[in-house]
């Protein structure tokens, strides 16, 4: 009985040692998605949101983190509900990129995405073109000096879910994947998802300023 208990305890001890500095383990190597920043702009006509981060390709809930690709995603909502062939252009870091947006029936917005090499910081200039007209915006990051990094949010989740992480660790290797997304509602939050090989997900909602875990949910 004592031997069996010791064998069961080994994975948990490995995680505890890593958290305490006795053994380092790079959990960021198992990130399959990161949303690191959100930029927002608004007028009487439009609401614009630009998110930047990285995502695995192909994107799948299988517990395996594939190589990440940097990506920018833009959502445009027309407040008057009028439909046009919208185009969006972003100027950041001395370069302009953009193109035609597509309408998403489920969300009722217009969407554009593309791979990027450099993430913008602070502010970005955005231009909306439609029906021979243009509108210009300056979108501002929602992050504050107190906003913790995605890496810190991941570390908080690993510390909070020691038993889950230990269960997914075999022979010293973590066998799941993590998703970390910065969110903006009434304040800044982080979503952290821990995905196991069967696709089951443990989800945490964190205060993005303090790192406090505010909610927890499991979807087997």
């Amino acid at each position: 009985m004592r031997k069996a208990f010791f064998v069961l305890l080994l994975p948990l001890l490995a995680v505890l040692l890593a958290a305490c500095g006795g053994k380092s383990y790079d959990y960021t190597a198992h990130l399959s998605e990161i949303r690191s920043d959100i930029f927002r702009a608004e007028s009487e006509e439009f609401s614009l949101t630009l998110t930047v981060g990285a995502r695995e390709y192909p994107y799948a809930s299988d517990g395996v983190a594939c190589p990440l690709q940097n990506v920018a995603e833009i959502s445009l909502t027309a407040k008057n509900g009028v439909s046009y062939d919208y185009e969006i252009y972003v100027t950041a870091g001395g370069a302009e990129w953009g193109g035609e947006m597509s309408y998403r029936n489920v969300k009722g917005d217009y969407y554009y995405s593309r791979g990027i090499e450099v993430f913008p910081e602070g502010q970005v200039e955005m231009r909306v073109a439609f029906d021979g007209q243009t509108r210009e915006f300056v979108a501002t990051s929602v992050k504050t000096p107190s906003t913790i990094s995605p890496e810190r949010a991941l570390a908080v989740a690993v510390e909070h879910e020691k038993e889950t992480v230990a269960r997914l660790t075999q022979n010293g290797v973590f066998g799941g994947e993590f998703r970390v997304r910065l969110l903006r509602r009434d304040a800044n939050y982080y979503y952290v998802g821990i995905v196991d090989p069967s696709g089951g997900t443990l989800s945490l909602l964190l205060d993005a300023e303090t790192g406090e875990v505010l909610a927890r949910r499991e979807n087997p």
Side-chain angles (χ1 to χ4, degrees), residues 31-46:
L31 281 164
S32 60
E33 181 182 7
I34 311 166
R35 181 188 295 162
S36 56
D37 208 345
I38 301 171
F39 299 82
R40 301 176 72 183
E42 194 162 355
S43 70
E44 293 182 356
E45 295 176 288
F46 303 111

Side-chain angles (χ1 to χ4, degrees), residues 41-64:
E42 194 162 355
S43 70
E44 293 182 356
E45 295 176 288
F46 303 111
S47 177
L48 285 163
T49 301
L50 163 66
T51 64
V52 295
R55 184 179 299 133
E56 69 174 355
Y57 184 82
Y59 190 71
S61 296
D62 55 9
V64 178

Side-chain angles (χ1 to χ4, degrees), residues 3-17 166 169 172:
K3 181 178 179 181
F5 175 77
F6 182 71
V7 170
L8 291 172
L9 190 61
L10 279 176
L12 181 56
L13 284 174
V15 175
L16 290 173
L17 286 171
T169 301

Side-chain angles (χ1 to χ4, degrees), residues 27-38 51-56 59 68 71 73 147-158 177-183 189-195 201-206 208:
Y27 289 102
T28 62
H30 299 277
L31 281 164
S32 60
E33 181 182 7
I34 311 166
R35 181 188 295 162
S36 56
D37 208 345
I38 301 171
T51 64
V52 295
R55 184 179 299 133
E56 69 174 355
Y59 190 71
L68 300 176
V71 63
E73 299 176 282
T147 304
I148 64 176
S149 67
E151 292 79 11
R152 177 57 188 157
L154 174 61
V156 169
V158 170
E177 61 183 312
F178 297 100
R179 295 172 178 168
V180 180
R181 304 176 192 142
L182 179 65
L183 307 175
Y189 302 93
Y190 271 106
Y191 162 84
V192 180
I194 305 175
V195 184
T201 304
L202 189 156
S203 301
L204 299 176
L205 183 68
L206 277 60

Side-chain angles (χ1 to χ4, degrees), residues 48-209:
L48 285 163
T49 301
L50 163 66
T51 64
V52 295
R55 184 179 299 133
E56 69 174 355
Y57 184 82
Y59 190 71
S61 296
D62 55 9
V64 178
C66 295
L68 300 176
Q69 297 181 357
N70 292 346
V71 63
E73 299 176 282
I74 303 174
S75 168
L76 178 150
T77 300
K79 295 183 178 181
N80 57 13
V82 178
S83 178
Y84 289 108
D85 292 328
Y86 290 103
E87 296 178 5
I88 187 72
Y89 298 94
V90 176
T91 301
E96 182 179 84
W97 47 266
E100 185 176 342
M101 308 187 80
S102 58
Y103 184 72
R104 298 191 294 188
N105 286 307
V106 174
K107 295 191 174 183
D109 66 349
Y110 292 83
Y111 176 79
Y112 175 85
S113 70
R114 62 162 286 163
I116 57 175
E117 294 184 2
V118 180
F119 291 162
E121 296 182 5
Q123 293 182 335
V124 294
E125 297 177 6
M126 304 178 73
R127 176 165 51 90
V128 178
F130 64 100
D131 193 34
Q133 306 176 58
T134 60
R135 300 289 188 271
E136 296 185 354
F137 299 85
V138 175
T140 304
S141 170
V142 303
K143 294 198 299 186
T144 73
S146 300
T147 304
I148 64 176
S149 67
E151 292 79 11
R152 177 57 188 157
L154 174 61
V156 169
V158 170
E159 174 68 18
H160 191 271
E161 297 297 328
K162 292 188 183 78
E163 293 186 3
T164 299
V165 172
R167 177 172 53 81
L168 294 174
T169 301
Q170 299 294 328
N171 299 319
V173 178
F174 180 70
E177 61 183 312
F178 297 100
R179 295 172 178 168
V180 180
R181 304 176 192 142
L182 179 65
L183 307 175
R184 177 68 187 183
R185 299 295 183 267
D186 57 319
N188 290 340
Y189 302 93
Y190 271 106
Y191 162 84
V192 180
I194 305 175
V195 184
D196 65 33
S198 68
T201 304
L202 189 156
S203 301
L204 299 176
L205 183 68
L206 277 60
D207 184 308
E209 311 299 322

